Amino acid sequence: MRTLVVGAGSMGRWLADALDGTVAFADTDPAAARAAAAAVGGTTTALDDTDTYDVVCLAVPMPVVAEVIAAQAVRAEHALVDITGEMAAPLAAMREHGAALERMSLHPLFAPSNAPGRIAVVTDEPGPRVDAVRSALADAGNDIFETTADEHDEAMETVQASAHAAVLAYGLAAEAVDERFHTPVSDDLQALVEQVTDGDAHVYADIQSRFDGAGAVAAAADRLADADRTEFERLYERLQEDATDQDVHGGA
């Protein structure tokens, strides 16, 4: 299978490395495309070239995915795939510009350095090429599950936007203390701060811009800060009940 990966960042490299067949990279930074090609044994092509491929995969930032699909869909002979991190916008663009093509949206729920992991998938138009992409990722040890664009994008408000905002807010609020004073909770929080900040700022900014979540975290922090003892205990006990319900349903 001949694949074009548009976007030579870490996620584009990760995807290309998992696929069978030949891979070419195109990127706004030709040097990044060359480095990615060297890393996975692929080739490069320019964004404005007219060469075509069995599959065109989009691994670009969320704010530009629709315009990149509009420009690059013509280079796909059989299938379009995106791994941008949201699903509604790229799927809409793929339907508009690749109506006759197989279409699939993927979201690896991990950084490439933590692969393999869970991958959310929406198969918008099935076929042998998107099946081949999916099979290659499964063969690499990933746990793939089917979802919908709405279900995925709504979940990202909690598991990405809210989670990142909460961790980063702790990092901004925390004062440096002698490590002997740290508790298991503060140790874990500090480890999460280090994990979240071990990435690219623009990726996390894109997530906050695309998905609601930070506002809800700020409002919840205000509720805790303003609560008297009785209200604080009520909120705490509600969270205990929620945690118990999640444990029961998770084990069912």
Side-chain angles (χ1 to χ4, degrees):
M1 185 169 68
R2 296 171 296 112
T3 303
L4 169 62
V5 177
V6 182
S10 59
M11 194 56 73
R13 292 189 187 195
W14 165 82
L15 177 64
D17 196 42
L19 298 179
D20 297 322
T22 60
V23 178
F25 285 94
D27 196 278
T28 54
D29 180 356
R34 291 192 295 271
V40 304
T43 60
T44 65
T45 181
L47 288 169
D48 59 358
D49 267 354
T50 58
D51 47 332
T52 60
Y53 300 82
D54 293 318
V55 182
V56 172
C57 296
L58 297 310
V60 299
M62 287 186 283
V64 301
V65 63
E67 64 185 79
V68 174
I69 290 170
Q72 299 296 320
V74 68
R75 302 177 74 175
E77 297 175 11
H78 301 287
L80 288 170
V81 175
D82 92 279
I83 55 167
T84 55
E86 66 170 316
M87 291 188 169
L91 284 170
M94 286 191 283
R95 291 177 195 129
E96 179 180 357
H97 300 286
L101 300 172
E102 302 168 33
R103 300 181 298 276
M104 183 167 65
S105 184
L106 300 167
H107 186 188
L109 300 170
F110 52 87
S113 59
N114 295 325
R118 288 192 307 277
I119 302 176
V121 177
V122 173
T123 305
D124 197 55
E125 185 62 41
R129 274 75 180 189
V130 296
D131 285 349
V133 172
R134 182 169 177 155
S135 294
L137 294 173
D139 290 345
N142 296 288
D143 177 18
I144 300 173
F145 67 95
E146 196 78 25
T147 183
T148 66
D150 288 344
E151 183 180 39
H152 168 272
D153 290 356
E154 183 177 350
M156 292 308 105
E157 294 183 0
T158 293
V159 302
Q160 285 199 317
S162 289
H164 298 166
V167 171
L168 293 172
Y170 171 78
L172 291 169
E175 299 287 347
V177 299
D178 187 317
E179 64 180 14
R180 295 173 299 172
F181 290 110
H182 274 292
T183 69
V185 171
S186 66
D187 272 338
D188 287 348
L189 282 169
Q190 186 56 42
L192 287 171
V193 171
E194 293 169 6
Q195 180 179 339
V196 171
T197 55
D198 187 31
D200 295 321
H202 71 85
V203 172
Y204 287 87
D206 287 346
I207 290 169
Q208 293 299 328
S209 296
R210 170 60 184 85
F211 301 113
D212 294 331
V217 172
D222 285 341
R223 289 181 68 188
L224 290 172
D226 295 340
D228 60 19
R229 182 183 180 87
T230 299
E231 174 65 5
F232 185 94
E233 290 179 354
R234 188 188 69 80
L235 293 170
Y236 186 92
E237 288 165 358
R238 193 192 81 182
L239 286 175
Q240 285 182 317
E241 293 171 0
D242 290 346
T244 299
D245 287 344
Q246 289 179 15
D247 285 344
V248 169
H249 293 310

